[in-house]
């Protein structure tokens, strides 16, 4: 019997509830499918930071390295810890240390879910560069607190980094409908984004079976709203991909349905799976968080581990749940009720 070790980082706020829900579903489908999942929970969070002065211990990365995958809930509690600390103290270090350079976020409507658009027949896979670009953390501030204060934030784009994310996106497009949309802002950012466009054109010659179109980020934002059905795989830099995928979440019914995977494609280190939504302090502990995004992320984790049939079972159970109207309206159903419905659908 196959066995997989999973690191669980519930994190902050609703992350606790949705991670528990996802783990219940994952454990159930594992029993049905003939493999085992062993979870080890880590308390790293903003509460951990307030106690220790760090979002995770100094040896946190090494503690995670032996696991087959990581399931994360949410990170952040702005009223207690600045987002710049919580993000750069936990999530980004994991992504960078484990070379999880491909952030994958699917955008489509589950059965019974109504989005805000007239269009409903869309299926977009957004591939976001995940370890460099605008989130590299290069820069600094001088003369802080004075009238002469200067802040510099430098985006870092390497040929290796840009080429590998584009190749990953080309391969995804090749497995789907054969269309790739590359997103930049090369009319305004004449160095990094022109560079990205050049590498895209160079690689396109190696993928003659993939139709490639380049868009500026503002035009792409409009297209996601006006013609989402025209898109297949979308690839973008760290910042642009981050923004676009929140828009993608909106058209698929909200952040409660937005799943994601932080992938290390060569599998030299564990990949990490998480819902796109944050910790939602305003509804934390009310028991009304939608666990669907976390459960969907869990399905992506199983697919990455090679358990495609089990992942398909989870997605089918989600569809059987949402088509009944359960979990489709924010705040209408309790977390436990949605989880119970998904578990029942698995049986």
């Amino acid at each position: 019997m196959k066995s997989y070790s999973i690191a669980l980082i519930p994190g902050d706020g609703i992350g606790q509830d949705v991670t528990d829900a996802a783990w219940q579903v994952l454990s159930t489908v594992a029993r049905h499918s003939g493999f085992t999942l062993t979870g080890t929970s880590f308390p790293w969070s903003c509460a951990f930071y307030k106690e220790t002065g760090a979002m995770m211990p100094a040896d946190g990365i090494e503690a995670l390295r032996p696991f087959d995958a990581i399931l994360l809930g949410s990170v952040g509690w702005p009223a207690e810890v600045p987002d710049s600390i919580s993000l750069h103290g936990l999530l980004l270090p994991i992504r960078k240390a484990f070379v999880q350079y491909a952030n994958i976020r699917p955008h489509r409507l589950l059965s019974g879910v109504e989005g805000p658009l007239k269009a409903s027949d869309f299926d977009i896979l957004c591939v976001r560069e995940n370890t460099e670009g605008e989130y590299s953390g290069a820069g600094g501030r001088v003369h802080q607190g004075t009238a002469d204060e200067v802040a510099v934030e430098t985006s870092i784009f390497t040929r290796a980094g840009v080429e590998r994310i584009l190749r990953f996106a080309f391969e995804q497009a090749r497995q789907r409908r054969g269309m790739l949309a590359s997103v930049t802002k090369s009319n305004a950012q004449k160095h990094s984004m022109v560079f990205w466009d050049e590498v895209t054109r160079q690689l396109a010659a190696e993928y003659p079976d993939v139709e490639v179109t380049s868009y500026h980020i503002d035009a792409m934002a409009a297209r996601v709203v006006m013609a989402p059905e025209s898109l297949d795989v979308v690839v973008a830099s760290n910042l642009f991909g981050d923004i676009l995928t929140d828009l993608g979440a909106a058209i698929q019914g909200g952040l409660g349905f937005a799943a994601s995977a932080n992938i290390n494609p060569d599998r030299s280190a564990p990949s990490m799976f998480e819902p796109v939504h944050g910790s939602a302090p305003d509804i934390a502990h009310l028991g009304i968080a939608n666990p669907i995004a976390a459960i969907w992320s869990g399905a992506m984790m199983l697919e990455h581990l090679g358990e495609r049939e089990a992942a398909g079972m989870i997605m089918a159970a989600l569809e059987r749940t949402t088509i009944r109207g359960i979990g489709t309206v924010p705040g209408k159903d309790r977390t436990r009720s949605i989880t119970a419905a998904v578990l029942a659908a698995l049986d």
Side-chain angles (χ1 to χ4, degrees), residues 20-204:
D20 179 67
W23 189 246
Q24 289 183 56
V25 172
L26 288 165
S27 299
T28 299
V29 80
R31 288 195 297 272
H32 290 340
S33 303
F35 62 89
T36 61
L37 296 173
T38 303
T40 301
S41 189
F42 295 87
W44 306 338
S45 61
C46 288
F48 186 85
Y49 176 85
K50 291 184 69 177
E51 292 178 6
T52 67
M55 290 296 296
M56 63 177 170
D59 63 349
I61 294 298
E62 293 311 308
L64 294 174
R65 193 176 295 278
F67 288 90
D68 293 308
I70 304 163
L71 185 65
L72 184 141
S74 62
V75 177
W77 199 271
E80 302 289 338
V81 179
D83 284 340
S84 58
I85 291 177
S86 59
L87 184 65
H88 286 272
L90 183 59
L91 193 58
L92 295 188
I94 292 173
R95 288 173 175 172
K96 293 176 181 179
F98 293 148
V99 201
Q100 297 168 352
Y101 66 82
N103 183 248
I104 306 173
R105 297 182 175 184
H107 302 295
R108 65 178 179 86
L109 288 170
L110 295 176
S111 301
V113 178
E114 292 186 7
L117 304 181
K118 293 180 181 178
S120 59
D121 188 20
F122 58 85
D123 183 357
I124 304 170
L125 185 71
C126 192
V127 176
R128 165 192 172 194
E129 200 292 313
N130 210 32
T131 58
E132 55 176 50
E134 304 90 345
Y135 292 1
S136 298
R141 293 169 65 182
V142 296
H143 308 304
Q144 286 184 247
T146 74
D148 298 318
E149 185 167 1
V150 177
V152 176
E153 193 85 32
T154 302
S155 298
I156 305 295
F157 289 86
T158 65
R159 179 169 289 276
V162 173
E163 182 171 324
R164 69 186 181 184
I165 194 62
L166 286 170
R167 284 193 184 279
F168 184 89
F170 271 108
E171 293 294 337
Q172 295 298 309
R174 179 173 273 177
Q175 296 170 28
R176 287 168 51 97
R177 288 179 284 147
M179 297 189 300
L180 178 65
S182 178
V183 182
T184 64
K185 188 59 177 171
S186 51
N187 59 340
Q189 295 176 290
K190 65 180 184 178
H191 302 300
S192 60
M193 296 287 95
V194 169
F195 170 58
W196 181 293
D197 285 347
E198 289 174 353
V199 178
T200 302
R201 287 192 295 270
Q202 291 165 9
L203 292 182

